Amino acid sequence: MPSHVPAQAADPAVAPIRVPLLAWLLAVVALVVSYLLLQENGLVTTGAVAEYLHEFTHDGRHALGVPCH
Amino acid sequence: MGTVTLGGVLRRGALAGVAAGVAASLVAFFVVEPVIERALAVEEARAAGEPAAEELVGRATQVVGGMVAALAVAICLALVLAVVFAQVRHRLPGRTDFGRATLLAFLGFVSFALVPALKYPADPPAVGNPDTVGARTAQYLSLIAAAAAISWLAVLVRQVLVARGHSTPLAATAGVLTGVAGYAAIMLIWPAASGDIPADVPAQLIWDFRVASLAELAAMWATMGATLGLLLTPRPPKAAPRTAEATTAA
């Protein structure tokens, strides 16, 4: 395959995939869940449940390199 | 190569997330936990003489919790990886979806794990000042956002140069240089790490923990990229009728 052919012409199988807004919303939800599991230090949630979640995932957040107290 | 649908990418992404989570939690259990135990011994020595504080969650539960967190985070990140892959697949270099998926996961590792680990390295429990955690979190998250933007810019630079007819090696080199220079620039611009490490925590312990943490993150992203790539790779046709079908379809 000649190297000077533009990438898109070189591989016609690589057509753009349509990604609707709903898929991006899913990605945002996934990031928010990650944040709640790893970052949350009382900014969004408070109370006993938040404290429990924090302590339950404590080893995990340190291991994944997230700032913690 | 058949058509790749968004749903197909997302399903494979979810599976890749499970595999990545299992890999990360195994590293967490066998590599990270022994170092955390050493850090907790330092914390206990510090608290010796004081009345023992009642623990909300026991140690065994925290070990399990750490592994569950790694699994859950891996699944979440893999879903994000799958959505981004679907969006940018046609912009990524490589002749196969395996190449494109592993490259994207590598960029994810650099943006979400390596750059933050180099600038704000991981610390074990027993280290960390509660007063600075808000500032440290803001620095960490904004650095990740900036590193992801740099990765995107690097991919874009390569694609634009290829589209303008430059050679593939030249375009790839320009993309890599954009990434390296960009990561270096944001690491210089962002504020220095807090340096909250107490004097009673040995340097060797800090080093061991940082290497172990990076090993867990590397296991997570490598498994995620390889699994997504393998699941996107079409099986070679075996039976003769299928070969004929594939040839006419192409």
Side-chain angles (χ1 to χ4, degrees), chain A residues 24 39 55 59 62-63 68, chain B residues 33 87 123 136-137 140 213:
Chain A
W24 282 105
Q39 288 290 341
E55 288 302 322
D59 280 23
H62 277 277
C68 202
Chain B
E33 281 301 336
Q87 181 77 56
D123 283 327
R136 284 186 285 129
T137 300
Y140 172 83
S213 164

Side-chain angles (χ1 to χ4, degrees), chain A residues 2 6 14 16 23-24 26 33 36 39 42 48 50 58-59 61:
Chain A
V14 184
W24 282 105
L26 173 75
V33 171
L36 286 176
Q39 288 290 341
H58 201 256
D59 280 23
R61 64 175 63 203

Side-chain angles (χ1 to χ4, degrees), chain A residues 34-42 50-69, chain B residues 36 62 65-67 69-70 73 122-123 125 133 137 140 209 213 216-217:
Chain A
S34 301
Y35 175 82
L36 286 176
L37 285 173
L38 292 179
Q39 288 290 341
E40 181 56 13
N41 286 303
E51 214 170 309
Y52 186 85
L53 181 71
H54 181 106
E55 288 302 322
F56 182 67
T57 62
H58 201 256
D59 280 23
R61 64 175 63 203
H62 277 277
L64 294 169
V66 172
C68 202
H69 57 70
Chain B
I36 290 186
Q62 278 190 324
M67 295 169 76
V73 168
D123 283 327
V133 71
T137 300
Y140 172 83
F209 187 80
S213 164
E216 179 175 335
L217 288 164

Side-chain angles (χ1 to χ4, degrees), chain B residues 166-190:
Chain B
H166 292 283
S167 74
T168 310
L170 179 87
T173 306
V176 170
L177 284 178
T178 303
V180 171
Y183 300 135
I186 58 171
M187 289 209 288
L188 285 174
I189 294 168
W190 255 247

Side-chain angles (χ1 to χ4, degrees), chain B residues 40 55 68 70-71 87-88 90-91 138 143 168 170 174 185 204:
Chain B
L40 293 178
E55 295 205 351
V68 170
L71 178 67
Q87 181 77 56
V88 304
H90 59 288
R91 297 181 189 278
L143 183 70
T168 310
L170 179 87
Q204 185 67 46

